[in-house]
Amino acid sequence: MTSESEIAKHLVSLFPIRRSITGDGNRETLAYLGEITPLEVVEVPSGTEVFDWVVPQEWRATEAWIEDADGHRWVDFRDNPLHVVNYSIAVDLTIGWEELEKNLFVHPELPDAIPYRTSYYQKSWGFCLTQQQREQMAGARGPFRVVIDSEHFDGSLSYGEILLPGESTREILISSYICHPHMANDGVSGMLVTALLARSLAAMPSRKWSYRIIFVPETIGAITYCHRNSSAIKELAAGLEITTVGGPGPFGLKQSWNGTHWINDLLRNVLDENTAPWKEYPFDIHGADERQFSSQAFRVNVATVSKDRYYEYPEYHTSADNLDLVTPAQLRQSLELYLRVINKMEELRFFRNKQPNCEVMMSKHDLYPKFGGAIKPIPGAPSSLSVALWLLFYLDGNTPLSSISTWTGIPVDALEDALDQLVSRGIVEEVLA
Amino acid sequence: MTSESEIAKHLVSLFPIRRSITGDGNRETLAYLGEITPLEVVEVPSGTEVFDWVVPQEWRATEAWIEDADGHRWVDFRDNPLHVVNYSIAVDLTIGWEELEKNLFVHPELPDAIPYRTSYYQKSWGFCLTQQQREQMAGARGPFRVVIDSEHFDGSLSYGEILLPGESTREILISSYICHPHMANDGVSGMLVTALLARSLAAMPSRKWSYRIIFVPETIGAITYCHRNSSAIKELAAGLEITTVGGPGPFGLKQSWNGTHWINDLLRNVLDENTAPWKEYPFDIHGADERQFSSQAFRVNVATVSKDRYYEYPEYHTSADNLDLVTPAQLRQSLELYLRVINKMEELRFFRNKQPNCEVMMSKHDLYPKFGGAIKPIPGAPSSLSVALWLLFYLDGNTPLSSISTWTGIPVDALEDALDQLVSRGIVEEVLA
Amino acid sequence: MTSESEIAKHLVSLFPIRRSITGDGNRETLAYLGEITPLEVVEVPSGTEVFDWVVPQEWRATEAWIEDADGHRWVDFRDNPLHVVNYSIAVDLTIGWEELEKNLFVHPELPDAIPYRTSYYQKSWGFCLTQQQREQMAGARGPFRVVIDSEHFDGSLSYGEILLPGESTREILISSYICHPHMANDGVSGMLVTALLARSLAAMPSRKWSYRIIFVPETIGAITYCHRNSSAIKELAAGLEITTVGGPGPFGLKQSWNGTHWINDLLRNVLDENTAPWKEYPFDIHGADERQFSSQAFRVNVATVSKDRYYEYPEYHTSADNLDLVTPAQLRQSLELYLRVINKMEELRFFRNKQPNCEVMMSKHDLYPKFGGAIKPIPGAPSSLSVALWLLFYLDGNTPLSSISTWTGIPVDALEDALDQLVSRGIVEEVLA
C-alpha cells in the first residue's frame, strides 16, 4: 500500500507546477506522473479541430504584476500563479484605478483567498487577488503599471494515456484532469490518486477488465481525447472520473447518467462497506469530464466518488485549496476506496448457467444434502442451495449479481459465495464482460 | 381579443337555432359559424355506410304539441325545441292519460327544467316537459290530442371543416359538435369557442402545426368524418375536443387515453398558470368525440378542457342549460385559455442538438461567462448555462420540452428561453413536428 | 361430482403403494390412476441422458429391518415403507450401536413420526424411525443385525400422460408427481386430484384449451418429460402444478414466475370467490416441478394452489402425513376448487373488437337505452353500457379480461356479462387462445 510519506512527497512536488490547458507545466506534470507509473504522452497540435472545438494555442506567461505610481508592487504572479487570469493576453499599461478595477477579481466569500479564473477562449486579461490586497491597492497612488508578459503560440495540447489490457477486451475508463494550477483538492488530488491507482492496476498479475486511464486537461482535453478515440469511448463498459478526492469531508457519489447502471450499485456497495456516512448526488450536466463521456454520441456511464466535492467546499477554486486542506491521510483514504472499487469491479462477473434446460443436478456436483427429503427453505437465512438455485434461475450472461441481489434480497456476498461454488464445478461459466 | 359583446351577440344568435344530428338547423349553424371564420361545409348523403353506422335520414319537425279535450295546449315545441324528443316520428293521436304518460319525460331532479332526449336510431316519439307541466296536465280532461308533424327523408348530414396549413404537415385536431339544440353550455359554448379559436388561428401570420378543425354532429358526425378521413386521423399529432366550456364552474382537464402524452402535460401547464383551481379527470370511454378518435384504429391523444364539464353540472341536458348559465365572460375565459393552449402548442418544438459528440463549445457562441473558473450551479435557480447544458444533453429530435422539464425540474419557460438562444446560434435545430 | 366415498376408496387404495422415483410401485400407481381416467404410460430406460441428468436404475427392496442381539426386530419396513431410506443399497451387517446410529434418522420435532428420507443419487443406506423407537433400541443389547435386501438394476422410469385436444391447439399443463411413498398430502392428494380433474376434463363435450396432464416422479420425471417434449413445453400457455391439496389448512397460491401473468390473476379470482381466507406466496425456486417448467429454457408460468402447502404443515415428509391428516372432504374441496379453475380457464377468452374504427353502433345491437340524452356514467356502479364500451376500447385479441379488470376496476364478472352480450351480437369475436 502506498505510504502517507510517499503521498506527501508527491503532493509537495505536484502542487506548485504551473498547469493550464496546455503548456510546459502540463508536460512537467505528465512527466512526474509518468515516474509514478509509465504513461504515454500524446501531443495534439494547436488548431486541430475536435468536434465543436479547436485545440487552442499554447500559453506561456513569464511576468504578471501590478505596481502603483510609487513603484510598490501589489500583485505578482511569481507569488502565486492564480494571481493572473489563466490565458491572459500580454499587456503593458499605465492606467487609473477605475480602469484597473474592471480587471480585478476577488472571492466574494473568502477575503483572504485568491480566486481562480480563466479566459481560455476570449482574448482578455485580468488579475485575481485577496480582498485585502484589493482594498489596500485602492488606497495607493495611481496610475498603476500593469504588466503581463505572456504569449500565445502554436504548440500542442498534451495528455497522458495508459492502456492496461485485461482478459476481456471490454474497457473501464478512469479519467482525471491535469489543468488546474496551484490547487490541491481540485487539481493535484485527482491526478495523483489516478496515477497511484494506475500503478496498482499495472502491478496486478492479471486483470479481468481492460483499463483506459487518461490524464487530460479538463473539457478541451477530454473532447480531444473523445475525438481521437471515439470508437473506443462508445464501447466503454463504464467509467470513473476521479476528482476532488483529498478534502477532509465525507465521500460523495455522483451517479452516472443512468442511475440504474451497475457502476452506481457497485460504488454504493463500496461506500456502504465504510462505516463513515457518505452522500449521493444524482447525475448532473455540471461536473468534470463525465460530461463529455455522457454526451449523446457516447452515453457512457461514468460515475465519481469525491471527497469534498467540487462546488461544495468553501475553498473551491481559490488559493485556499492548498496543502493545508488536502492531507496525505485524506488522500490515502480515497486511494484505498478506489482500490476497493477496482477490486469490486474485478470481482464483477457476468455468468451464464450452462444448463438452461430444467434444473442442474445439484447432487452430482455435491451441492445437495446427502439425504434428500428434508430439504425446505429456511426463512430469513437462505441456504447455500437456495442461493445457488436463484443464481441458476437468473444467470443468463447479462445479469450482474447486484441485480439478482435486488430482486431476491440475498446479499451480494452470499451470491458471490454460491457463485464460486457453481463456477468451480463448471455449472455456470463466465461470459467475458 | 374577442370582446364580450361580440360573444354575447353570437350566443344569442346561435342559441335558438334548432339543431339535431342532421338538417337545416345544422346548416344554419354552420353558415353562422362560417361568418365568424370561413369553413367548408360537407354534405354526406343519407344511407352512406360509415364503419358500423349508416348516415341517417334527415329529420324535420314543423309542429309538436299536446292539447287536452278542452283544447288547451299544454306543450308546444315552438316554445322550446327540447319539448319534442329529437327525431320523433310523426303522430296524430287522440289518447288517454295512461297511454300519453308513457311518452312523457321529466327531469328527475330539476322540477322546472325540460329534459333533453333523443331517439335518433329507434322509430319512436315522445315529449319532454317540466314536472309542473306534467302534474297539471295529469289533472286535465282527456283524451289528449298529440300531434307531431315531422318527416324523415333522404338528405344529408352536414359538417364543417377548416384546414389551416402550417410549417409542418403534422396536424392538430380541434373538434366540437353542433347537434345539441337550445342548450348553451353543452352545445353553443363548444362550437363558438372553436370558431373564435379558428378565427385566431387563421389570422396567425404563420403556424408551426397544421390544424384540422371540425364542427360535426356528435358521434355520427365524428364517425362519418373519421371514415372519410381515416388516413389523416391516424396521422394526427394530438387533438382537443372542445365542449361545455361556458359554465360558471372550474376548469377541468380530461386526459387523453395515454395520460403521459405531451398534450396532457401541456394542458396541465396552461391550467397551472391560472391562479384558479382546476380538476383533472382520467381518460374515460364516456365523453364526447374523443371516444371516436381514441378508438383502436386511431388511438389519437385527444384531451378536453371544459368549464362545468358535461355530466357534472345540474343543468346538464336540460332547458336550464341556457344563457343564464353561460355568460360571455365565462366563455371568454375559456377562449383565452384555449388561445394559451394554442400558443403553447405553437411554442412546442422538437429540437435536435446538432453536436451530439461531447459538449458544444459554449464560449464560442457567447453562452459562457467571460471569465471561467467561477462556474458552479446555483442551487434552486439553475443558470441559463445549466439549462442550456441540460437541453443539449436531452434534445434528440423526439423529446418535448415538457418531458425535459419533468425530468430536470426546470420550468418549461426557462427551457424555452435557453432553447431560443441555442436555436438562434445554430447549435440546435428544429426538427419538424 | 365426485363423491367423498369414491375419494375415500381411492385414498385407501393409493396410500399404501410403495412408490419411488422408479419401479413397480409407480407402475401400480399409474395403473390405478389409469382406471380413474385413461392415461398412457411411458417407460424411459435407465441410463437415458436427460439434460444434466441420467435416468437412474430402478430400485427394488424386499426386506429392510434391524434386530438386536436378542433377535428382537425393532424396525421393519413392512410396517411402513418410510422406515428405509429410499434407494438404500443392500446391506447385511452386524454392527454396534455407534455405527448403527449414524444411519438412523428421526424427526427433530415430531417424536412419534417416521421421517421421509431419500438417497437417490448417492450410494448409501439408512433407516428412519420414531424418536421413541430410537431411544428404546439404544437401550437394547447389541450388536445389531441390519438387513436391507434391495437391488438397483437397469429398468425404466415410468410416467403417465394424458393429452386432451381442445378447440385451440394451445395447451395448459397440469402436472403432479407420483414418487412419494406412504404419504397422503404430499403424495396421494396431488395425483388423485389431478386424475379426478383429468376425468372431468376428458368428459367435457368440448374444451377450448388443449390439456397436457402428466404424472411424473418429481424432479427426474419432470426433467425427463421436458427433455422428451421440449418443444411442447416451450409452447405451453400456462400450467398448474397440483401438490399437497388434501390438508385441513387454508388454500395457498404460489405464483408463477411472472407474477403478472393471467394464470395468477385467474387463480386469485377463484380463491376470492371462496369465503375462506387464503394465502399467497411469491414465486420461489423451491417447490415442486414448476421449478423445471420455469427454468431459463422454458419459462412457463406454472402456478400452484395447495391446501396445507409443502414445507409448512408439521407432518410434512413424515409418517404423520397420513389418512388422518388428509380427509375425503378436504380433498374434495381442492378438487372442486381446481374444477372451478378449469372452468375459469375454459371461460378465459381472447376477444377482438371486430370494429376497431370508432365506436360500434350500440343502438343497432340493442345495447343503448331507447331514448338517448340521459346517458351519463353512474359513479361506483358502471352501467352495462360503460362496461361494454371499455371492452370495445381494449379487446384487441391479446388482452385477457383480468387485465382489463385491473385497469378499469370493473369486476371480471361484470366484464364477462358484457362480453357475452357483445359476442352474441357479433360485435366482438373470439380469437383462439
Side-chain angles (χ1 to χ4, degrees):
Chain A
M1 182 64 211
T2 308
S3 66
E4 288 185 25
S5 62
E6 184 193 344
I7 293 173
K9 184 188 72 174
H10 296 321
L11 276 174
V12 169
S13 302
L14 284 164
F15 183 73
I17 302 176
R18 297 188 170 225
R19 282 171 290 271
S20 178
I21 53 173
T22 63
D24 288 337
N26 291 16
R27 291 185 192 99
E28 191 182 336
T29 298
L30 290 171
Y32 189 93
L33 297 171
E35 283 177 28
I36 295 176
T37 192
L39 55 81
E40 189 192 356
V41 176
V42 178
E43 300 285 346
V44 183
S46 304
T48 304
E49 291 192 9
V50 287
F51 298 131
D52 201 36
W53 303 62
V54 174
V55 173
Q57 289 190 310
E58 287 193 38
W59 176 71
R60 181 189 298 137
T62 49
E63 289 202 56
W65 48 262
I66 306 171
E67 284 182 6
D68 63 16
D70 298 321
H72 180 74
R73 188 167 289 196
W74 289 95
V75 177
D76 190 335
F77 102 129
R78 288 183 200 278
D79 302 331
N80 192 318
L82 297 181
H83 274 314
V84 68
V85 168
N86 209 302
Y87 261 65
S88 280
I89 56 173
V91 291
D92 186 346
L93 303 169
T94 303
I95 52 178
W97 176 250
E98 288 75 26
E99 199 177 342
L100 174 58
E101 197 182 18
K102 296 174 193 163
N103 292 281
L104 300 181
F105 299 93
V106 297
H107 195 278
E109 283 149 28
L110 295 186
D112 300 329
I114 308 162
Y116 166 54
R117 304 301 285 267
T118 67
S119 188
Y120 297 135
Y121 302 105
Q122 304 244 6
K123 295 229 167 293
S124 178
W125 63 271
F127 283 85
C128 302
L129 60 170
T130 68
Q131 289 182 17
Q132 192 188 29
Q133 281 178 307
R134 190 184 178 288
E135 278 159 29
Q136 292 180 348
M137 189 162 56
R141 193 167 67 85
F144 295 85
R145 177 98 185 278
V146 177
V147 169
I148 300 177
D149 185 1
S150 71
E151 55 178 331
H152 295 78
F153 58 96
D154 285 340
S156 59
L157 177 151
S158 318
Y159 68 77
E161 181 183 43
I162 304 172
L163 296 177
L164 297 175
E167 290 165 31
S168 166
T169 57
R170 294 221 68 195
E171 293 183 342
I172 301 292
L173 177 73
I174 304 178
S175 167
S176 67
Y177 49 82
I178 55 163
C179 52
H180 283 54
H182 228 258
M183 283 174 286
N185 194 31
D186 189 10
V188 175
S189 77
M191 66 183 87
L192 181 51
V193 164
T194 302
L196 294 168
L197 196 61
R199 184 171 71 182
S200 292
L201 272 165
M204 285 166 66
S206 73
R207 288 169 294 271
K208 187 162 291 289
W209 299 96
S210 293
Y211 290 85
R212 181 176 290 265
I213 303 158
I214 63 174
F215 302 88
V216 294
E218 201 178 7
T219 307
I220 183 64
I223 291 167
T224 300
Y225 192 85
C226 286
H227 187 262
R228 294 168 59 92
N229 300 277
S230 64
S231 302
I233 298 292
K234 284 176 188 175
E235 293 302 314
L236 287 168
L240 300 168
E241 173 72 27
I242 304 186
T243 172
T244 50
V245 287
F251 285 118
L253 164 62
K254 178 186 171 189
Q255 298 174 3
S256 75
W257 70 271
N258 173 0
T260 67
H261 190 272
W262 59 257
I263 188 70
N264 302 302
D265 277 337
L266 185 148
L267 293 171
R268 281 182 205 108
N269 287 344
V270 172
L271 288 161
D272 279 339
E273 287 168 12
N274 263 339
T275 52
W278 54 277
K279 302 183 193 181
E280 186 157 0
Y281 306 92
F283 176 75
D284 188 357
I285 35 80
H286 295 280
D289 286 329
E290 71 276 13
R291 289 167 5 218
Q292 312 311 328
F293 311 124
S294 307
S295 65
Q296 291 191 38
F298 301 110
R299 289 290 196 251
V300 185
N301 278 281
V302 177
T304 289
V305 174
S306 54
K307 193 161 184 316
D308 275 319
R309 196 175 76 129
Y310 49 81
Y311 306 151
E312 298 204 342
Y313 60 101
E315 302 86 353
Y316 170 72
H317 274 196
T318 74
S319 58
D321 183 350
N322 58 27
L323 297 181
D324 294 333
L325 181 75
V326 171
T327 68
Q330 290 158 15
L331 215 132
R332 188 174 147 161
Q333 285 174 39
S334 290
L335 176 60
E336 284 173 1
L337 184 124
Y338 271 105
L339 284 167
R340 287 203 298 278
V341 169
I342 294 295
N343 287 340
K344 265 286 195 256
M345 278 206 285
E346 287 289 306
E347 287 164 10
L348 190 74
R349 291 157 166 184
F350 295 97
F351 289 89
R352 195 175 73 84
N353 175 355
K354 290 161 76 178
Q355 181 53 264
N357 299 286
C358 298
E359 290 186 332
V360 165
M361 187 180 179
M362 302 302 269
S363 59
K364 190 167 84 178
H365 304 287
D366 198 24
L367 287 170
Y368 201 74
K370 187 173 176 189
F371 290 94
I375 307 307
K376 56 177 169 175
I378 299 156
S383 68
S384 60
L385 179 64
S386 298
V387 178
L389 291 174
W390 278 119
L391 286 174
L392 292 171
F393 186 77
Y394 282 125
L395 285 175
D396 56 6
N398 295 305
T399 306
L401 293 193
S402 57
S403 300
I404 299 178
S405 177
T406 301
W407 299 333
T408 61
I410 300 169
V412 170
D413 282 357
L415 292 174
E416 285 169 345
D417 291 347
L419 184 63
D420 284 347
Q421 299 210 18
L422 294 170
V423 172
S424 67
R425 283 162 174 82
I427 300 170
V428 302
E429 65 181 0
E430 188 159 6
V431 180
L432 275 184
Chain B
M1 183 61 208
T2 309
S3 67
E4 287 186 26
S5 62
E6 185 193 344
I7 294 172
K9 183 189 73 174
H10 296 321
L11 275 175
V12 169
S13 303
L14 284 164
F15 183 73
I17 301 175
R18 295 182 173 231
R19 282 171 289 272
S20 179
I21 53 172
T22 63
D24 288 337
N26 291 16
R27 293 188 190 96
E28 191 182 334
T29 297
L30 289 170
Y32 188 93
L33 297 171
E35 284 178 26
I36 295 176
T37 192
L39 57 80
E40 189 191 355
V41 176
V42 177
E43 300 285 347
V44 182
S46 305
T48 304
E49 292 192 9
V50 287
F51 299 130
D52 201 39
W53 303 63
V54 174
V55 173
Q57 289 190 307
E58 286 193 37
W59 176 69
R60 182 189 297 134
T62 48
E63 290 202 54
W65 48 263
I66 306 172
E67 283 181 6
D68 64 17
D70 297 321
H72 179 74
R73 186 167 291 193
W74 288 95
V75 177
D76 190 334
F77 101 128
R78 290 184 198 279
D79 301 332
N80 192 317
L82 297 180
H83 273 315
V84 69
V85 168
N86 210 301
Y87 262 66
S88 278
I89 56 174
V91 291
D92 185 346
L93 303 170
T94 302
I95 52 178
W97 175 250
E98 289 75 28
E99 199 178 340
L100 174 58
E101 198 181 15
K102 296 175 190 161
N103 291 281
L104 299 181
F105 299 93
V106 298
H107 195 279
E109 284 148 29
L110 296 185
D112 299 328
I114 309 162
Y116 165 55
R117 303 302 285 267
T118 66
S119 187
Y120 297 137
Y121 302 104
Q122 303 246 5
K123 296 228 166 295
S124 179
W125 65 271
F127 284 85
C128 302
L129 61 170
T130 68
Q131 288 182 17
Q132 192 188 29
Q133 280 178 308
R134 189 182 179 289
E135 279 158 28
Q136 291 179 347
M137 191 163 55
R141 193 167 67 85
F144 295 87
R145 176 97 185 278
V146 178
V147 169
I148 300 177
D149 185 0
S150 70
E151 56 177 331
H152 295 78
F153 58 96
D154 285 341
S156 58
L157 176 153
S158 317
Y159 69 77
E161 181 184 44
I162 305 173
L163 297 176
L164 297 174
E167 290 164 32
S168 166
T169 56
R170 294 220 69 196
E171 293 184 345
I172 302 292
L173 177 73
I174 305 178
S175 167
S176 67
Y177 49 83
I178 55 164
C179 53
H180 283 54
H182 228 258
M183 284 173 287
N185 194 31
D186 189 12
V188 175
S189 78
M191 66 182 87
L192 181 50
V193 163
T194 302
L196 294 168
L197 196 62
R199 183 171 73 184
S200 292
L201 272 165
M204 284 167 66
S206 74
R207 287 169 296 271
K208 187 163 289 289
W209 299 96
S210 294
Y211 289 86
R212 182 176 290 267
I213 303 158
I214 63 174
F215 302 90
V216 293
E218 200 178 6
T219 306
I220 182 63
I223 291 167
T224 300
Y225 192 84
C226 286
H227 187 261
R228 293 169 59 93
N229 300 275
S230 64
S231 302
I233 297 292
K234 284 175 187 175
E235 293 303 313
L236 287 168
L240 299 168
E241 173 73 28
I242 304 186
T243 171
T244 51
V245 287
F251 285 119
L253 164 62
K254 180 189 170 186
Q255 298 174 3
S256 75
W257 69 272
N258 173 0
T260 67
H261 189 271
W262 60 257
I263 188 70
N264 302 304
D265 277 338
L266 186 149
L267 292 172
R268 280 181 206 110
N269 287 344
V270 172
L271 287 161
D272 279 339
E273 288 168 12
N274 262 338
T275 52
W278 56 276
K279 300 183 193 181
E280 186 156 359
Y281 306 92
F283 177 73
D284 188 357
I285 36 80
H286 295 281
D289 286 329
E290 71 276 13
R291 287 165 8 216
Q292 313 310 328
F293 311 125
S294 306
S295 66
Q296 290 191 37
F298 302 110
R299 289 287 196 252
V300 185
N301 278 281
V302 178
T304 290
V305 175
S306 54
K307 194 163 184 314
D308 275 320
R309 195 174 79 128
Y310 48 82
Y311 306 151
E312 299 204 342
Y313 59 101
E315 303 87 352
Y316 170 72
H317 274 198
T318 74
S319 58
D321 184 349
N322 58 28
L323 297 182
D324 294 333
L325 180 77
V326 172
T327 68
Q330 291 158 15
L331 213 132
R332 188 174 146 163
Q333 286 175 38
S334 290
L335 177 58
E336 284 174 1
L337 184 124
Y338 271 105
L339 284 166
R340 287 204 297 278
V341 169
I342 294 296
N343 287 341
K344 269 274 197 267
M345 277 205 286
E346 286 289 306
E347 287 163 11
L348 191 73
R349 292 159 166 181
F350 296 96
F351 290 90
R352 195 176 74 85
N353 175 356
K354 290 161 76 177
Q355 181 52 264
N357 298 287
C358 297
E359 289 187 334
V360 165
M361 186 182 179
M362 303 302 270
S363 59
K364 190 167 86 177
H365 302 288
D366 198 22
L367 285 171
Y368 201 73
K370 188 173 174 190
F371 290 94
I375 307 308
K376 56 178 169 175
I378 300 157
S383 67
S384 60
L385 179 63
S386 298
V387 178
L389 291 175
W390 277 119
L391 286 174
L392 292 171
F393 185 78
Y394 281 125
L395 285 175
D396 57 5
N398 295 306
T399 306
L401 293 192
S402 58
S403 299
I404 300 178
S405 176
T406 302
W407 298 334
T408 62
I410 300 169
V412 171
D413 283 357
L415 292 174
E416 285 169 343
D417 290 347
L419 184 63
D420 285 348
Q421 299 210 18
L422 293 170
V423 172
S424 68
R425 283 161 174 83
I427 300 169
V428 303
E429 65 182 0
E430 189 160 4
V431 180
L432 276 183
Chain C
M1 184 59 212
T2 308
S3 66
E4 288 185 24
S5 62
E6 184 193 344
I7 293 172
K9 184 189 72 176
H10 297 320
L11 275 174
V12 168
S13 302
L14 283 165
F15 183 73
I17 301 175
R18 297 185 169 227
R19 282 171 289 271
S20 179
I21 53 173
T22 63
D24 288 338
N26 291 17
R27 292 187 191 99
E28 190 183 337
T29 298
L30 290 170
Y32 189 94
L33 296 171
E35 283 177 26
I36 295 176
T37 191
L39 56 82
E40 188 192 355
V41 177
V42 177
E43 299 286 346
V44 182
S46 304
T48 304
E49 292 192 9
V50 287
F51 300 130
D52 200 39
W53 303 62
V54 174
V55 173
Q57 289 190 308
E58 287 193 38
W59 176 71
R60 182 190 297 138
T62 48
E63 290 202 54
W65 46 262
I66 305 171
E67 282 181 6
D68 63 18
D70 298 320
H72 179 73
R73 188 166 291 195
W74 287 96
V75 177
D76 190 335
F77 101 129
R78 289 184 198 281
D79 302 331
N80 192 317
L82 297 181
H83 275 314
V84 68
V85 168
N86 209 301
Y87 260 66
S88 280
I89 56 173
V91 291
D92 187 345
L93 303 169
T94 302
I95 51 179
W97 176 250
E98 288 75 27
E99 198 177 343
L100 173 60
E101 199 181 14
K102 296 174 191 161
N103 292 281
L104 299 182
F105 299 92
V106 297
H107 195 279
E109 283 149 29
L110 295 186
D112 299 329
I114 308 162
Y116 166 55
R117 304 302 286 267
T118 67
S119 188
Y120 297 137
Y121 302 104
Q122 305 245 5
K123 294 227 168 296
S124 179
W125 66 271
F127 283 86
C128 303
L129 60 169
T130 68
Q131 290 182 16
Q132 193 188 29
Q133 280 179 308
R134 189 183 178 288
E135 279 158 28
Q136 292 180 348
M137 189 163 57
R141 194 168 67 85
F144 294 85
R145 176 98 188 278
V146 178
V147 170
I148 300 178
D149 185 2
S150 70
E151 55 178 331
H152 296 77
F153 58 95
D154 285 340
S156 58
L157 176 153
S158 317
Y159 68 77
E161 181 183 43
I162 305 172
L163 297 176
L164 298 174
E167 290 164 31
S168 166
T169 57
R170 294 221 67 196
E171 292 182 345
I172 302 291
L173 175 74
I174 305 178
S175 167
S176 67
Y177 50 81
I178 56 163
C179 52
H180 284 53
H182 228 258
M183 283 174 286
N185 194 30
D186 188 12
V188 175
S189 77
M191 67 183 87
L192 180 50
V193 164
T194 302
L196 294 168
L197 196 61
R199 183 171 73 183
S200 291
L201 272 164
M204 284 167 65
S206 73
R207 288 168 296 270
K208 187 163 289 290
W209 299 95
S210 293
Y211 290 85
R212 181 176 290 266
I213 303 158
I214 63 175
F215 302 89
V216 294
E218 201 178 6
T219 307
I220 183 63
I223 291 167
T224 300
Y225 193 85
C226 287
H227 187 261
R228 293 169 59 94
N229 300 276
S230 64
S231 303
I233 297 292
K234 284 176 186 174
E235 293 301 314
L236 287 167
L240 300 168
E241 173 72 27
I242 304 187
T243 171
T244 51
V245 288
F251 285 119
L253 164 61
K254 178 187 171 188
Q255 298 174 2
S256 75
W257 69 272
N258 173 359
T260 67
H261 189 272
W262 60 256
I263 188 71
N264 302 303
D265 277 338
L266 186 148
L267 293 171
R268 282 182 204 109
N269 288 342
V270 171
L271 287 161
D272 279 339
E273 288 168 12
N274 262 340
T275 51
W278 55 277
K279 302 183 192 180
E280 186 157 0
Y281 306 91
F283 176 74
D284 188 357
I285 34 82
H286 295 280
D289 285 329
E290 70 277 13
R291 290 168 3 219
Q292 312 311 327
F293 311 125
S294 306
S295 65
Q296 291 191 37
F298 301 111
R299 289 287 197 250
V300 185
N301 277 281
V302 177
T304 290
V305 175
S306 54
K307 194 162 184 314
D308 274 320
R309 195 175 79 128
Y310 47 82
Y311 306 149
E312 299 203 340
Y313 59 102
E315 301 87 352
Y316 170 72
H317 274 196
T318 74
S319 58
D321 183 350
N322 57 28
L323 297 181
D324 294 332
L325 181 75
V326 172
T327 67
Q330 292 158 14
L331 214 134
R332 189 174 147 163
Q333 285 175 38
S334 290
L335 176 59
E336 284 173 2
L337 184 124
Y338 271 105
L339 284 167
R340 287 203 299 277
V341 169
I342 294 295
N343 287 340
K344 264 288 194 255
M345 278 206 285
E346 287 289 306
E347 286 163 11
L348 190 74
R349 290 157 166 184
F350 296 96
F351 290 89
R352 195 177 72 84
N353 176 355
K354 290 162 75 176
Q355 182 51 264
N357 299 286
C358 298
E359 289 185 334
V360 165
M361 187 182 180
M362 303 302 269
S363 59
K364 189 167 87 178
H365 303 287
D366 198 21
L367 286 170
Y368 201 74
K370 188 173 175 186
F371 291 93
I375 307 308
K376 57 177 166 175
I378 299 157
S383 66
S384 61
L385 179 63
S386 298
V387 178
L389 292 174
W390 277 119
L391 285 174
L392 292 171
F393 186 77
Y394 281 124
L395 285 175
D396 56 6
N398 295 306
T399 306
L401 293 193
S402 57
S403 300
I404 299 178
S405 176
T406 302
W407 299 334
T408 61
I410 301 169
V412 170
D413 281 358
L415 291 173
E416 284 169 344
D417 290 347
L419 184 63
D420 285 348
Q421 298 209 18
L422 294 170
V423 172
S424 68
R425 284 161 174 82
I427 299 169
V428 303
E429 65 181 2
E430 189 160 2
V431 180
L432 275 184

